[in-house]
Amino acid sequence: MGRIELYFDVISPYSWIAFEALTKLNEKWNIEIQLKPFYLGEVMKRSGSRPPALVKAKGIFMVADLDRSSKYWGIPLNPCPEFMRWMKTYTTEDAQKVLLTLQKNQPELLEAAAREFWLRLWSRGQKIFEKNDLLEVLKTIGARDIEGTLTESKSSEVANLLEENISTAVDQGAFGAPWIVVHDDNGDEHYIFGSDRMHHIADILSLPLLSKI
Ligand SMILES: N[C@@H](CCC(=O)N[C@@H](CS)C(=O)NCC(=O)O)C(=O)O
């Protein structure tokens, strides 16, 4: 029946688009989608890639492209004027570790937590980097043992989970996000970069692609 792994980082608006697009498409597809939080900063470092927003022409293009994609999928994406400054000051490593801790202990909250991180950073212009930001996300999604979750997110066990997702993706050839692994019925793996390859995923898995949902 096919299976997809979605490697993502909440710093990445295109990861949000892939997440919501796959969620909508999966209302029809009904395939297994496994979420794989990784840390895009480290993926870029190891693969020799760099954030597109740091290349002037790509940054300008991205604003229009994100607007089109978010309208197409009905995602309330609203780039924040502070984003470039925050990108130079903070990282999403702690947020990604919180997601991995939830995946381990309260997996039913993982989707809601990832969406809340994206809504904060990419819709409401709120930070997602410091302890208070993480506390607010955990509170909003109704997580239990919030302090314990934050403490565990700093453990070596969670650091190892993050490292596993980073190194697996980089070994597969990842250089950015979203990085999507499609497992077909023959047991083969297909590596996809971007939220704009839904037609390839449908084709690989012989699934219908609705032109607009
Ligand atoms: N065309 C892709 C663009 C995805 C993209 O630019 N992702 C950024 C992170 S938000 C990235 O990792 N870029 C790496 C690169 O362009 O080399 C899409 O529509 O999803």
Side-chain angles (χ1 to χ4, degrees), residues 106-120:
Q106 301 174 70
E108 70 284 2
L109 294 183
L110 177 61
E111 282 185 27
R115 186 175 282 117
E116 178 61 15
F117 276 123
W118 276 310
L119 279 167
R120 282 180 69 95

